[in-house]
Amino acid sequence: MVSTARRRAAIGWLFVAPWLLGFLVFSAGPMLVSLALSFTKYDLNSMKFAGVENYRRLFFEDGLFWKSLSVTVIYAFVSVPFGILGSLGLALLLNIDVRGQRLFRTLFYLPSVVPAVASALVWLWMFDANHGPINRLLGFFGFGPVAWLQDQRFTLGAFIIMSLWGVGGGRMIIFLAGLQGIPESYYEAAKLDGAGPWRQFRNVTLPLLSPVIFFNLILGFIGAFQVFTSSYVMTAGGPNNATLFYALYLFRNFFEYFKLGKASALAWVLFVILLAVTAVQFWGSKRWVYYEGDQA
């Protein structure tokens, strides 16, 4: 007879099987196939083994690879910190107990549910050089119109400004949850010690909120390195490749140039970059992330 432990294990595997099958077919399987394709020269007409040639050409011959990588890195390292600060500041304001608090939270969260394409079209209108609201506002203060999406000096800055559209989204909700998880007794003890609002924020709120900041930081960088829709809809990578984000360059190689081997190599380089960035963040987190159960 089958033992109770084995029967329970079999039932557990039976329940896990749909997810496991889905993971193997739709995630692990395609990843392994793309890894294999990255070592081939594949253009739909023919496929032959090329070794590390795709990677060699990316690093030593492809100027657009380095251009797309630099655009994405600059965007990530500027937009993510500003986004974190904006979401944290908004969460602190929406955590104040005022009349209509739930309405304010809903209003600030609404932009995050707008589809990405619709959001890109709205910002395309806002950045319009002739009739956009942003240039009209600048004109009110005496500044001339700025060709936000036509002048390569301003396009990346425009995308960074546009990234702040998401400060009221899921990141803000996570910060709100973290703020509400801080016991009020900590603030009461700080007040008894004579701590003002700033010292309470610096010595109580930030340390206890550091795991949430760390979590949002990781997700922020992963998301920033995968920017695609806004660039594809608004500028198509221009002008002069000033908004050629890495994901857009990968898309072009796969769906426009049909260089499937090169596109697969680009995808794996991105995977390694994200893995390295995340590993560095985890390594650095030991110095500033505080968990409540940690011993001093």
Side-chain angles (χ1 to χ4, degrees):
M1 293 188 62
V2 180
S3 66
T4 303
R6 290 187 176 182
R7 185 165 58 250
R8 288 180 177 177
I11 293 173
W13 280 108
L14 185 64
F15 278 104
V16 171
W19 176 88
L20 191 60
L21 183 63
F23 173 75
L24 292 173
V25 173
F26 297 110
S27 295
M31 286 180 67
L32 292 175
V33 171
S34 71
L35 180 61
L37 288 177
S38 71
F39 295 104
T40 65
K41 185 178 180 181
Y42 184 27
D43 59 2
L44 293 184
N45 295 319
S46 62
M47 180 175 64
K48 61 181 181 179
F49 181 73
V52 296
E53 184 66 14
N54 287 323
Y55 294 97
R56 188 192 67 80
R57 289 185 176 181
L58 282 180
F59 287 106
F60 298 106
E61 298 179 7
D62 193 343
L64 287 180
F65 164 76
W66 291 108
K67 177 66 176 180
S68 64
L69 185 59
S70 65
V71 167
T72 306
V73 167
I74 293 171
Y75 173 83
F77 279 87
V78 176
S79 66
V80 172
F82 276 111
I84 293 289
L85 289 174
S87 296
L88 176 57
L90 196 56
L92 288 168
L93 289 174
L94 295 177
N95 195 47
I96 299 174
D97 189 12
V98 295
R99 187 176 181 180
Q101 183 190 62
R102 293 183 179 179
L103 175 62
F104 289 129
R105 290 177 178 177
T106 303
L107 291 176
F108 279 105
Y109 183 75
L110 277 178
S112 66
V113 302
V114 177
V117 174
S119 175
L121 292 175
V122 168
W123 280 99
L124 192 63
W125 165 70
M126 292 185 68
F127 282 124
D128 184 84
N130 299 315
H131 308 291
I134 295 178
N135 272 343
R136 289 186 178 182
L137 182 63
L138 291 176
F140 180 78
F141 291 101
F143 296 99
V146 177
W148 291 101
L149 302 178
Q150 292 77 35
D151 191 330
Q152 62 181 358
R153 296 175 299 172
F154 303 109
T155 46
L156 190 56
F159 276 80
I160 291 172
I161 292 172
M162 189 175 67
S163 71
L164 299 178
W165 172 264
V167 297
R171 191 164 48 198
M172 178 199 72
I173 297 298
I174 294 172
F175 274 128
L176 270 174
L179 287 170
Q180 292 176 4
I182 300 176
E184 188 64 29
S185 58
Y186 289 4
Y187 292 105
E188 294 173 356
K191 289 177 183 177
L192 289 175
D193 289 338
W198 168 245
R199 289 189 62 189
Q200 291 178 40
F201 174 74
R202 187 182 65 182
N203 297 324
V204 177
T205 305
L206 278 183
L208 293 178
L209 208 60
S210 57
V212 180
I213 297 173
F214 177 55
F215 176 78
N216 279 327
L217 199 61
I218 290 177
L219 292 187
F221 272 102
I222 292 174
F225 271 90
Q226 296 177 338
V227 170
F228 167 75
T229 305
S230 55
S231 177
Y232 182 74
V233 172
M234 296 173 65
T235 60
N240 196 26
N241 296 317
T243 56
L244 182 64
F245 288 93
Y246 194 96
L248 178 59
Y249 186 51
L250 192 159
F251 170 87
R252 283 182 173 176
N253 276 278
F254 196 100
F255 292 100
E256 294 181 11
Y257 311 146
F258 300 111
K259 297 179 179 179
L260 277 64
K262 181 179 178 180
S264 298
L266 281 166
W268 276 94
V269 170
L270 178 61
F271 174 77
V272 172
I273 290 172
L274 289 176
L275 196 65
V277 170
T278 304
V280 170
Q281 288 176 314
F282 268 96
W283 173 77
S285 69
K286 299 176 182 178
R287 303 184 180 184
W288 63 275
V289 177
Y290 167 80
Y291 294 99
E292 196 170 355
D294 290 349
Q295 297 293 326

